[in-house]
Amino acid sequence: DAGVTQSPTHLIKTRGQQVTLRCSPKSGHDTVSWYQQALGQGPQFIFQYYEEEERQRGNFPDRFSGHQFPNYSSELNVNALLLGDSALYLCASSLSTYEQYFGPGTRLTVT
Amino acid sequence: QQQVKQSPQSLIVQKGGIPIINCAYENTAFDYFPWYQQFPGKGPALLIAIRPDVSEKKEGRFTISFNKSAKQFSLHIMDSQPGDSATYFCAATMQFGNEKLTFGTGTRLTIIP
């Protein structure tokens, strides 16, 4: 049973560019949440998708957007990248329970 | 009111000792409190979790103690091993399932042989 998978593992982008990160949830899970983890900090909630709709959103600007596909996989898009967007981006999946399981993350570096 | 405060920021314990990590919250609507373990370059892994109707929960060498009146909870690691060296995060979330996790700031734990 595969856990949560994310791609790519690492990514280097330039300020002003756009980036798309991908997540496949754990088998059987229907809800995907995205978190941003800056170096030395706890993860911060970006948003959550359920039934292809954004169900909740944290305190992140509109430059951060997402999508969930019918197979429950999800994408996180960030436009107009800033240096401060450099972080580990984590995807977590769950199935109508409190337990959220995290993927290994995508390390984004903005130069 | 959404914050979860975690202490200490770092902790060094000798092998076999019992590291204790503490967390406090303000929002009484929180009703599920998980702990995550994170190794460098990896995603957080769910360790153990507790609901506020229980004062203590044990899973293997990991124990959560919960004090609802004080709005505090803590993680104890029994017979700690060097392999337990990692960053530990407490978190909290609310009912209705699938609510966002609010994380503490993390504790970097080092177990020395």
Side-chain angles (χ1 to χ4, degrees):
Chain A
D1 177 24
V4 180
T5 60
Q6 293 186 243
S7 63
T9 305
H10 297 90
L11 204 52
I12 300 175
K13 289 287 188 178
T14 304
R15 261 185 313 177
Q17 285 188 318
Q18 179 263 344
V19 68
T20 297
L21 310 181
R22 294 175 176 82
C23 170
S24 290
K26 187 177 168 66
S27 178
H29 285 185
D30 59 3
T31 302
V32 172
S33 302
W34 287 92
Y35 293 80
Q36 180 196 65
Q37 186 177 24
L39 202 59
Q41 302 293 319
Q44 298 292 316
F45 176 76
I46 302 174
F47 44 52
Q48 182 183 85
Y49 277 85
Y50 171 71
E51 292 189 343
E52 302 179 50
E53 298 278 337
E54 183 183 289
R55 182 159 68 175
Q56 297 181 68
R57 188 178 184 92
N59 190 24
F60 279 80
D62 291 344
R63 298 187 297 110
F64 289 77
S65 63
H67 188 77
Q68 185 178 36
F69 299 95
N71 67 352
Y72 306 121
S73 67
S74 177
E75 288 182 348
L76 164 65
N77 301 292
V78 188
N79 295 322
L81 284 167
L82 304 173
L83 294 179
D85 294 332
S86 295
L88 181 68
Y89 288 85
L90 296 162
C91 169
S93 74
S94 53
L95 174 62
S96 302
T97 69
Y98 297 99
E99 296 176 347
Q100 294 190 24
Y101 294 88
F102 284 83
T106 293
R107 172 70 63 188
L108 173 64
T109 302
V110 182
T111 62
Chain B
Q1 197 178 22
Q2 291 292 320
Q3 285 186 328
V4 176
K5 296 180 180 179
Q6 183 171 348
S7 64
Q9 188 173 8
S10 64
L11 188 57
I12 299 174
V13 172
Q14 200 136 24
K15 177 184 172 183
I18 304 175
I20 301 172
I21 304 170
N22 300 298
C23 285
Y25 64 98
E26 292 292 327
N27 190 346
T28 54
F30 286 142
D31 66 351
Y32 180 75
F33 302 88
W35 285 88
Y36 286 85
Q37 178 191 57
Q38 186 175 32
F39 293 103
K42 305 293 184 183
L46 179 62
L47 260 183
I48 184 173
I50 197 167
R51 303 283 296 273
D53 53 347
V54 175
S55 62
E56 185 176 277
K57 182 174 181 180
K58 292 182 181 181
E59 282 186 10
R61 296 186 294 110
F62 299 94
T63 299
I64 301 178
S65 298
F66 192 89
N67 185 330
K68 188 175 181 179
S69 61
K71 292 186 286 185
Q72 295 175 348
F73 58 109
S74 59
L75 177 71
H76 299 60
I77 305 176
M78 307 302 176
D79 187 28
S80 58
Q81 301 296 315
D84 296 328
S85 297
T87 300
Y88 292 80
F89 292 96
C90 61
T93 188
M94 302 180 200
Q95 62 179 339
F96 306 121
N98 289 315
E99 292 289 325
K100 66 176 183 180
L101 289 165
T102 298
F103 282 85
T105 49
T107 297
R108 178 177 285 186
L109 173 65
T110 303
I111 306 298
I112 53 177

